[in-house]
Amino acid sequence: MAYTTQQALETLNGYMSITDSQKEVIDDTKKRGYVVTLNSGEKVVIFVYPLVHKQDNTKNYFDTRDSGAYERGVAWRYALSNGLKYFCFGINDQVAKYSDYIFSLECNESVIEQISGTKNGSRNGPGNQIIIPNDYIPSKKYERIKNKLGIYISVIQKDVLFDYMQMYDNRPYLPENIMETEEPIDEYQRASQIISDYITETGLDVPNNKEAENETLIEFKERFSPDVLEKLSDNEILQKLFYTSGDNTEALCYWLEHNAACREYFGSIAGGSSYKFGLFQKKDTGDWMTGSPQKPQVLTENQALETGKKIRDALIKGAEIIKNSTLESLSDFEKVDDELKNVIGEQYYNLSWFHKYFFMICPDKLSGFHSNDWQNHVLRCLRIVPSEKYYARSMQIAKVENYTNLSYSEFFSVIYDEFGNIKNFVRLGTRDSEKSYITEWQRKSVVGIGWREVGTLDDYVAGDGLNKDAITERLMEIYYPDDRKTASRKAGELIRFYKTDADTVFVTMDGESLISFVDEIGNYFYDSSTAMSHMKMGKWHNRFTESDILPEKSEGKLTSCYQLTDEKNLMFLYEKYYYGEEAESEELDNSEAEVTYMPLVFNTEIETKYERNRIVFGAPGTGKSYELKEDCEKLLKDTNGSYERVTFHPDYSYSQFVGTYKPVMGADEKIRYDFVPGPFMRVYVDALKSGRTENPQPHLLLIEEINRAKVAAVFGDVFQLLDRDDDGVSEYEIQASEDIRKYLASKLGGAPDNYQKIRIPNNMFIWSTMNSADQGVFPMDTAFKRRWNFEYLGINENEEKISGIGKIELAGSDEPVEWNILRRAINAKMSSEQFKINEDKLMGPFFLSKKIIASDENGMIIDTDKFVAAFKSKVIMYLYEDAVKQGKHRFFDGCDNSKYSSVCEAFDELGMGIFGPNFKENFYDKQRDEA
């Protein structure tokens, strides 16, 4: 447990043998500052600190940076204005070596402010606590020590405390100019030290890319230096600089955006469209374009050339300005920034590819962080207030990189390892009109937001986001009748909460009081048992003191969920988040997070007439996929369930079906390895999430052509889960791999150990189609087959749906030929004694799709050319190359059958005569009569 201020006050009372009634408390000090009278009658001011002691015994200190800064200043000024001695005492009798001892901070308050990074009681920049040397153990009645910052601390045994206060006045011992005795370190040097210290402390293996980077820079400058650009002829400019309709691999834009070495070593500018380059040629039309996707503008060749020259000249002028600049201070950076904007124009000033070009020409003066968000993130992490100007921020970072002697890519690897991705700090309220939820949320490792009667936000999903209008209407209906403005604003807060992700850091607050940071944000879930029903898992970090407030405390006030953007607030929060000390008494360990994760529900009690595991099989064209599509629509009707479709093929694997680690491009534009789920795992997670809710929904995985892959290998150990009990839940569980456990924890909350054993819930359905007639199919073993419900579709199943339509006039026939009757006739010839083709090789009614046989009111095919083309490419091809391959010369006995193309040509002249001179009489007419 952390040692509290109250404990320190009570301990000091005991050491001094006084009670609270013998103290004159100074206003606005929260009882930490007070006046006592010594035996001599002299009055002195005392301010009390509970000494912070790290449980791992690595650090002990006065927390002058984050605790009591305002109150300490009040006590100090009271002593000065009343001509009294001032003592700042630190106590912690729970640390064995400090028991019975008082630590007296002997310094001027203005110096403490300077060291601690505070001003008038608030943080105004980076700072340090007053550290007590960790190896120091008190042993004398009185001793004065000095820490690394040159601050004197007196250590007094409790029995001589009054003697010390009688004899000494601590104010003179640290003059205000002590900090001037050392050579000043600017903020960029200090930031470089943060990077260097991290590398040293962690042993981080920083990749050395300098040789490869230099080679890339040399080649880039040989191709695109300002001198080279200036010498380009009118015939070369467009081809050399921009995307054209031809090969672009030698163009400047391509190099900046897609060249592998340029991306890896000098930052990415990927994303967006070609309009971001100000000029490009469309591949399909050859038109030169400028403007934007919303307002495209077509240029003539001459206009394109003039625009190209303008851009070329801006690149040359900008590079010259940066190259010749002297960059020592922020004012220098911002002066160059202003000059760039004026010379190259605002039209090009903000373009990230301009910035990357200038960086590759002047890598010592700019950095490879090309986005505003990344620039701000890096500078805040390094305790530097970002400039408001784009290029000035880049120069700020470059100055730090130069001090560290790291290239951009090396520097980025350290930044990302130490500080991670860009952070979004979101202010979140913690109480409603009834109560505070802080304790409950901390215990459960969650955060939440109200408006319970809106219901789960998953019901409002529309496209990639939420339907704000629908949420607004619901809020008006329940909470804000006739107040659309308020309802719309609150809908925005709910959507903001829903969209928070792993890069969000919630700043939980109670009014103006800062409570905790909450990060590692999980997925949204709905808990109707609490008024704050919209919830997310998260890890709580208590790095605020009770006196902490936001510098701009009104930002986001009276709003439940608000993204903070004020620069003073962000600097304060970055400092606390990355450099603040964790309050050990409040930090939840992983074991509690495991206990409070939401248990999985496998038996959701969902009712359905459908089998969970289905395989629909039959000959080609019998409508297997259509059957499952219709059943899918019926299963999901009036639900919020979902489905995903996947088609198996001979090379399909377990890693594609279930998931595996793959290289992915992160937000940092770097390649990293993440677990990438396959369709099975995606549907599985959706089903598990839904199972936790009050109204579980069905989730379906549709597998097309299941036997075209080696199913035993594709399903792997998931095969065991296919055995379902009477409730539709996996009868047997399997041990999840470490990769899957971690993935499930990231998606469902809790810890990986919560997911050691898994089963399929009964709201997850797996349906598939199978066609054993395909040439490329693999056999299924009996053990696999018995876990499925097989449903056969007969060769003429559902043919009534196309009866009387699909008629066409073909050569050689004196009346229209109907597709379904022709199909039956072809099947009849295939299954005759002459050929004896198995039923699974015959053709179903939908071998040709409804679109191909779309007919008018008389049943005549509307697009005859489409039908003829499809008949050749599908029916004749299937028969010639597959179904009757061994007897094709006998089957197509009415025409030249030496080649597939010959049969197709004959179809135009003979129609169904290609199947023989007696085909119509022996097969077609018989099938027509039966129909």
Side-chain angles (χ1 to χ4, degrees):
M1 296 289 288
Y3 192 66
T4 67
T5 300
Q6 185 58 37
Q7 288 173 301
L9 289 166
E10 292 173 355
T11 299
L12 185 57
N13 281 356
Y15 289 169
M16 297 177 66
S17 299
I18 63 174
T19 64
D20 286 342
S21 62
Q22 294 171 275
K23 300 188 298 188
E24 180 185 339
V25 175
I26 300 172
D27 292 340
D28 294 330
T29 63
K30 296 185 178 178
K31 299 184 179 180
R32 296 174 68 171
Y34 53 86
V35 178
V36 296
T37 303
L38 305 179
N39 294 333
S40 64
E42 182 182 12
K43 290 185 175 184
V44 299
V45 171
I46 295 173
F47 187 81
V48 178
Y49 267 100
L51 293 177
V52 178
H53 170 70
K54 299 296 288 182
Q55 294 298 317
D56 57 4
N57 202 33
T58 58
K59 195 175 182 183
N60 305 278
Y61 55 90
F62 288 78
D63 193 6
T64 53
R65 187 182 72 185
D66 296 317
S67 173
Y70 173 77
E71 294 81 8
R72 187 183 69 238
V74 171
W76 166 260
R77 288 187 292 274
Y78 182 92
L80 290 181
S81 62
N82 289 279
L84 304 178
K85 290 180 182 179
Y86 169 79
F87 297 96
C88 184
F89 287 156
I91 300 98
N92 191 332
D93 64 335
Q94 291 186 358
V95 180
K97 62 183 178 180
Y98 295 163
S99 181
D100 295 337
Y101 280 89
I102 300 93
F103 289 75
S104 178
L105 191 57
E106 297 187 340
C107 62
N108 188 302
E109 170 60 20
S110 61
V111 176
I112 295 180
E113 283 193 331
Q114 188 178 357
I115 293 171
S116 304
T118 61
K119 188 70 175 177
N120 298 325
S122 298
R123 291 293 298 278
N124 73 332
N128 298 286
Q129 300 106 342
I130 307 299
I131 308 295
I132 299 170
N134 198 49
D135 56 357
Y136 174 72
I137 301 176
S139 59
K140 301 176 181 179
K141 291 281 188 181
Y142 169 80
E143 188 174 14
R144 179 176 287 116
I145 62 176
K146 184 179 181 181
N147 73 5
K148 291 182 178 180
L149 290 176
I151 297 174
Y152 289 98
I153 303 171
S154 285
V155 188
I156 309 105
Q157 204 271 341
K158 67 178 183 179
D159 295 336
V160 297
L161 180 59
F162 276 101
D163 293 334
Y164 167 76
M165 289 190 290
Q166 184 70 47
M167 297 173 61
Y168 293 98
D169 181 348
N170 69 8
R171 286 172 288 184
Y173 285 98
L174 189 62
E176 293 192 29
N177 65 353
I178 186 170
M179 301 300 286
E180 298 172 6
T181 61
E182 300 181 6
E183 184 178 344
I185 299 177
D186 70 29
E187 59 183 343
Y188 304 106
Q189 287 177 296
R190 187 191 64 236
S192 72
Q193 193 63 47
I194 293 172
I195 298 297
S196 301
D197 288 347
Y198 183 78
I199 296 172
T200 302
E201 291 168 5
T202 63
L204 180 67
D205 184 16
V206 181
N208 186 345
N209 302 321
K210 286 188 172 64
E211 183 175 350
E213 290 170 5
N214 287 335
E215 290 176 357
T216 303
L217 277 178
I218 290 171
E219 184 177 3
F220 182 83
K221 290 178 180 179
E222 286 175 351
R223 291 170 174 268
F224 306 112
S225 71
D227 289 341
V228 172
L229 299 190
E230 192 169 20
K231 295 174 182 177
L232 292 177
S233 67
D234 288 357
N235 294 330
E236 295 176 306
I237 286 179
L238 296 181
Q239 298 290 329
K240 187 74 174 177
L241 300 187
F242 303 101
Y243 286 124
T244 67
S245 58
D247 178 25
N248 293 303
T249 55
E250 301 300 314
L252 171 62
C253 289
Y254 179 91
W255 265 69
L256 292 173
E257 185 171 23
H258 293 299
N259 179 273
C262 282
R263 284 172 63 98
E264 181 177 359
Y265 301 134
F266 302 100
S268 173
I269 58 169
S273 68
S274 297
Y275 284 97
K276 69 185 178 186
F277 293 102
L279 182 67
F280 73 98
Q281 188 179 30
K282 295 184 74 172
K283 283 190 174 294
D284 54 350
T285 65
D287 291 335
W288 282 97
M289 306 297 297
T290 189
S292 67
Q294 295 76 30
K295 294 183 178 180
Q297 181 182 350
V298 179
L299 301 180
T300 65
E301 190 81 21
N302 287 335
Q303 289 173 326
L305 178 60
E306 290 305 310
T307 301
K309 286 181 178 180
K310 185 177 179 182
I311 293 173
R312 186 270 311 269
D313 294 345
L315 290 171
I316 295 171
K317 293 174 183 176
E320 190 69 17
I321 290 171
I322 297 170
K323 182 179 179 181
N324 294 331
S325 62
T326 300
L327 303 174
E328 298 294 338
S329 65
L330 180 59
S331 61
D332 294 335
F333 306 158
E334 294 188 338
K335 181 179 179 182
V336 173
D337 189 292
D338 290 338
E339 186 178 359
L340 276 172
K341 184 181 290 187
N342 290 332
V343 171
I344 69 176
E346 289 198 44
Q347 182 180 3
Y348 305 124
Y349 164 83
N350 286 313
L351 298 180
S352 60
W353 74 278
F354 259 65
H355 180 272
K356 184 170 181 178
Y357 176 79
F358 295 148
F359 165 53
M360 294 190 70
I361 299 301
C362 305
D364 59 328
K365 296 189 175 183
L366 295 176
S367 176
F369 293 97
H370 308 301
S371 81
N372 294 312
D373 289 341
W374 264 108
Q375 289 178 352
N376 285 316
H377 176 59
V378 171
L379 290 167
R380 291 166 186 153
C381 285
L382 296 176
R383 296 171 155 178
I384 298 173
V385 177
S387 169
E388 295 181 357
K389 301 176 185 292
Y390 180 37
Y391 283 89
R393 288 193 300 270
S394 182
M395 294 169 190
Q396 286 180 291
I397 299 172
K399 192 170 181 67
V400 179
E401 291 174 357
N402 292 338
Y403 276 129
T404 63
N405 197 32
L406 295 174
S407 68
Y408 158 74
S409 66
E410 296 166 342
F411 182 80
F412 178 84
S413 69
V414 184
I415 286 288
Y416 195 76
D417 195 83
E418 183 171 5
F419 301 107
N421 210 347
I422 298 165
K423 295 294 181 286
N424 297 306
F425 289 92
V426 176
R427 176 177 182 151
L428 187 70
T430 55
R431 69 165 59 242
D432 58 18
S433 58
E434 300 295 326
K435 67 174 185 177
S436 168
Y437 293 84
I438 295 169
T439 303
E440 176 185 335
W441 287 355
Q442 280 191 310
R443 179 175 56 82
K444 293 182 177 180
S445 296
V446 298
V447 288
I449 193 171
W451 299 291
R452 172 170 49 189
E453 300 306 319
V454 168
T456 174
L457 296 179
D458 288 333
D459 289 346
Y460 298 89
V461 172
D464 295 331
L466 297 181
N467 187 331
K468 185 176 181 181
D469 289 339
I471 298 174
T472 299
E473 293 294 336
R474 184 65 174 156
L475 286 167
M476 288 179 65
E477 179 183 336
I478 301 170
Y479 298 99
Y480 310 105
D482 304 321
D483 189 354
R484 173 170 287 277
K485 184 176 181 181
T486 298
S488 178
R489 189 171 68 250
K490 299 306 180 184
E493 294 178 41
L494 281 168
I495 293 171
R496 188 176 300 114
F497 180 85
Y498 186 88
K499 287 184 175 180
T500 55
D501 56 22
D503 294 323
T504 299
V505 179
F506 281 114
V507 183
T508 57
M509 300 184 68
D510 187 355
E512 293 181 357
S513 298
L514 292 157
I515 309 300
S516 290
F517 289 116
V518 185
D519 60 11
E520 298 182 23
I521 304 304
N523 289 312
Y524 167 86
F525 64 95
Y526 180 75
D527 181 2
S528 62
S529 66
T530 175
M532 295 290 203
S533 55
H534 308 285
M535 309 199 83
K536 293 198 172 193
M537 301 291 292
K539 186 175 182 180
W540 285 64
H541 303 276
N542 297 319
R543 294 177 185 157
F544 297 115
T545 67
E546 55 187 45
S547 61
D548 279 333
I549 59 173
L550 291 173
E552 296 297 328
K553 59 186 179 182
S554 63
E555 186 183 17
K557 193 175 181 180
L558 303 179
T559 305
S560 298
C561 187
Y562 183 89
Q563 182 165 340
L564 297 165
T565 58
D566 181 87
E567 190 59 50
K568 291 180 181 178
N569 286 342
L570 291 176
M571 286 299 295
F572 171 82
L573 292 170
Y574 265 81
E575 178 71 24
K576 284 285 187 177
Y577 181 71
Y578 285 111
Y579 299 98
E581 295 290 339
E582 194 85 30
E584 293 161 358
S585 62
E586 302 294 337
E587 183 178 1
L588 289 170
D589 60 26
N590 288 335
S591 62
E592 181 157 353
E594 293 171 22
V595 171
T596 56
Y597 102 107
M598 293 185 68
L600 298 177
V601 178
F602 296 106
N603 185 1
T604 63
E605 300 183 0
I606 191 170
E607 295 182 1
T608 179
K609 67 178 182 179
Y610 295 106
E611 294 288 338
R612 264 71 179 189
N613 301 340
R614 297 171 64 192
I615 291 181
V616 177
F617 71 105
T622 50
K624 300 180 292 295
S625 297
Y626 184 79
E627 171 98 353
L628 289 186
K629 179 177 179 292
E630 283 196 326
D631 286 351
C632 171
E633 292 173 353
K634 293 174 184 176
L635 174 70
L636 302 181
K637 185 178 180 181
D638 299 326
T639 77
N640 293 311
S642 65
Y643 77 94
E644 183 166 345
R645 186 188 303 272
V646 60
T647 301
F648 280 9
H649 54 79
D651 294 326
Y652 202 67
S653 65
Y654 175 88
S655 61
Q656 292 169 292
F657 184 58
V658 178
T660 189
Y661 272 87
K662 294 180 181 179
V664 298
M665 181 73 74
D668 56 351
E669 301 296 344
K670 290 285 186 178
I671 298 294
R672 67 171 188 271
Y673 282 82
D674 281 351
F675 183 83
V676 178
F680 175 86
M681 188 57 62
R682 288 193 292 269
V683 175
Y684 181 66
V685 167
D686 287 343
L688 290 176
K689 287 181 185 177
S690 179
R692 285 171 162 174
T693 65
E694 289 185 332
N695 184 26
Q697 306 291 301
H699 294 272
L700 170 63
L701 176 61
L702 280 175
I703 303 171
E704 297 282 4
E705 309 286 358
I706 190 171
N707 61 331
R708 293 191 67 233
K710 296 177 180 178
V711 290
V714 171
F715 277 79
D717 52 358
V718 171
F719 156 84
Q720 190 70 22
L721 300 178
L722 297 177
D723 260 330
R724 308 265 194 151
D725 61 21
D726 292 341
D727 295 317
V729 178
S730 293
E731 192 164 356
Y732 308 105
E733 59 192 12
I734 63 170
Q735 195 79 19
S737 68
E738 182 67 22
D739 296 343
I740 289 176
R741 292 203 298 269
K742 288 180 179 178
Y743 176 75
L744 291 176
S746 72
K747 293 298 180 182
L748 300 170
D753 285 349
N754 296 129
Y755 306 95
Q756 292 191 33
K757 295 181 179 180
I758 60 175
R759 290 183 289 168
I760 296 177
N762 64 354
N763 65 328
M764 179 174 176
F765 298 75
I766 307 176
W767 296 350
S768 60
T769 64
M770 183 178 84
N771 180 11
S772 59
D774 284 349
Q775 294 183 28
V777 301
F778 293 94
M780 291 181 180
D781 60 55
T782 303
F784 187 83
K785 284 182 177 179
R786 72 175 180 81
R787 288 166 164 80
W788 297 83
N789 184 67
F790 280 80
E791 302 172 21
Y792 176 69
L793 290 184
I795 193 63
N796 295 318
E797 192 106 11
N798 297 317
E799 67 174 345
E800 69 277 2
K801 294 182 179 179
I802 61 169
S803 178
I805 65 170
K807 300 174 184 178
I808 185 172
E809 294 182 354
L810 294 177
S813 300
D814 51 8
E815 61 182 15
V817 175
E818 185 176 328
W819 154 246
N820 189 47
I821 296 175
L822 177 58
R823 172 194 67 85
R824 289 175 63 115
I826 295 171
N827 286 343
K829 182 171 182 176
M830 283 196 287
S831 55
S832 67
E833 284 296 320
Q834 186 180 5
F835 295 97
K836 296 182 179 179
I837 303 298
N838 290 333
E839 184 176 339
D840 61 3
K841 287 282 191 178
L842 305 184
M843 297 184 297
F846 309 104
F847 194 91
L848 294 183
S849 71
K850 287 185 176 180
K851 290 183 179 179
I852 292 173
I853 63 170
S855 305
D856 60 21
E857 64 273 12
N858 298 316
M860 299 299 292
I861 290 175
I862 297 171
D863 191 338
T864 56
D865 290 341
K866 181 186 288 187
F867 174 86
V868 170
F871 192 88
K872 291 177 180 178
S873 64
K874 296 180 182 293
V875 177
I876 296 177
M877 173 67 81
Y878 172 65
L879 296 172
Y880 195 88
E881 298 291 349
D882 188 352
V884 295
K885 185 175 183 179
Q886 301 306 318
K888 58 190 175 186
H889 300 303
R890 290 181 291 120
F891 196 82
F892 294 102
D893 57 348
C895 65
D896 176 7
N897 53 38
S898 60
K899 300 187 294 294
Y900 161 69
S901 59
S902 299
V903 177
C904 291
E905 290 173 4
F907 181 70
D908 291 331
E909 298 177 7
L910 303 174
M912 61 181 172
I914 62 174
F915 300 111
N918 300 319
F919 176 79
K920 182 178 184 301
E921 179 182 352
N922 294 339
F923 296 103
Y924 183 85
D925 290 346
K926 284 184 178 181
Q927 294 300 321
R928 181 190 60 197
D929 293 342
E930 288 181 12

